[in-house]
């Protein structure tokens, strides 16, 4: 079911972007992830990882746009209990709504849907899908270069065996063509 929703959203986003190609900007981005797992497990610590991928920003109005992205994102945490780093590799699809308060500054928010590509958890019971909500700021340095900062908090548990959810601070730099 979640895969069908993920596929449908991706097709709708690509379709809307192609219909409005004259007001769309394609780009690439990458940056640092400061990731943790929160919830019933209190022995977790942040890890530093990374994300990279592509995006399309489609202008809906002069000051409002939507920015679907397709990212590879490494997330996880350090577990003090088992003295091991938990790595969760995701293909993520953020659907970010942007409101520009200044020509250079935007407030960003929206859902993120992710599919687990791989993990290093022994006898893995990690859910194959994850949902989060993202909120943050974007800043245009030039017509092509931009910076973004987001906080993402998990909406779904990463495993059926625990009440643990993803938590992520994401700092990005990118280039729009």
């Amino acid at each position: 079911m979640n895969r069908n929703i993920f596929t449908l959203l991706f097709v709708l986003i690509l379709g809307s972007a192609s219909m409005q190609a004259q007001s769309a900007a394609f780009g690439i981005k990458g940056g640092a992830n400061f990731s943790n797992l929160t919830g019933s497990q209190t022995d977790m610590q942040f890890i530093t990882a990374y994300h990279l991928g592509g995006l399309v920003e489609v202008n809906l109005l002069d000051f409002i746009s939507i920015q679907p992205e397709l990212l590879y994102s490494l997330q996880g945490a350090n577990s003090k209990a088992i003295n091991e780093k938990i790595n969760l590799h995701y293909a993520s699809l953020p659907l970010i709504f942007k409101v520009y308060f200044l020509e250079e500054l935007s407030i960003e928010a929206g859902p993120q849907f992710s599919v687990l590509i791989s993990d290093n958890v022994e006898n893995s019971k990690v859910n194959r899908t994850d949902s989060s909500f993202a909120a943050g700021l974007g800043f245009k340095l030039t017509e092509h270069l931009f910076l973004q900062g987001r906080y993402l908090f998990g909406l779904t548990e990463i495993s059926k065996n625990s009440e643990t959810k993803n938590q992520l601070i994401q700092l990005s730099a990118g280039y729009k063509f």
Side-chain angles (χ1 to χ4, degrees), residues 130-147:
D130 184 62
S131 299
S132 300
F133 187 81
L137 296 172
F139 186 75
K140 290 183 188 178
L141 296 172
T142 69
E143 182 181 340
H144 300 286
L145 296 173
F146 65 90
L147 299 174

Side-chain angles (χ1 to χ4, degrees), residues 3-163:
R3 261 189 211 164
N4 293 338
I5 292 171
F6 183 76
T7 304
L8 177 63
L9 281 172
F10 188 70
V11 168
L12 288 174
I13 290 164
L14 287 180
S16 71
S18 65
M19 289 187 327
Q20 299 184 19
Q22 69 276 8
S23 64
F26 295 85
I28 57 173
K29 69 181 269 185
N33 286 346
F34 303 97
S35 175
N36 199 2
L37 299 173
T38 62
S40 63
Q41 306 259 343
T42 59
D43 64 339
M44 300 293 185
Q45 295 178 326
F46 276 91
I47 62 168
T48 302
Y50 60 92
H51 64 278
L52 56 103
L55 60 95
V56 179
E57 183 173 357
V58 179
N59 294 327
L60 302 176
L61 298 171
D62 286 340
F63 63 95
I64 297 176
S65 64
I66 186 170
Q67 182 171 299
E69 302 171 0
L70 182 58
L71 304 174
Y72 167 80
S73 183
L74 176 56
Q75 298 171 206
N78 278 324
S79 174
K80 291 189 283 185
I82 59 175
N83 197 26
E84 188 174 318
K85 184 176 181 180
I86 298 169
N87 292 319
L88 305 171
H89 302 262
Y90 287 103
S92 298
L93 179 66
L95 184 56
I96 303 299
F97 294 89
K98 300 171 73 171
V99 177
Y100 285 90
F101 286 95
L102 301 172
E103 189 174 329
E104 305 86 17
L105 183 65
S106 63
I107 291 180
E108 307 176 354
Q112 175 172 296
F113 306 99
S114 300
V115 175
L116 186 69
I117 298 170
S118 68
D119 64 71
N120 68 339
V121 179
E122 193 172 314
N123 299 321
S124 181
K125 302 259 193 242
V126 177
N127 289 333
R128 294 292 169 222
T129 58
D130 184 62
S131 299
S132 300
F133 187 81
L137 296 172
F139 186 75
K140 290 183 188 178
L141 296 172
T142 69
E143 182 181 340
H144 300 286
L145 296 173
F146 65 90
L147 299 174
Q148 293 175 320
R150 292 185 189 150
Y151 174 74
L152 289 91
F153 58 92
L155 300 174
T156 56
E157 297 169 351
I158 66 160
S159 171
K160 295 175 182 129
N161 300 338
S162 71
E163 297 174 9

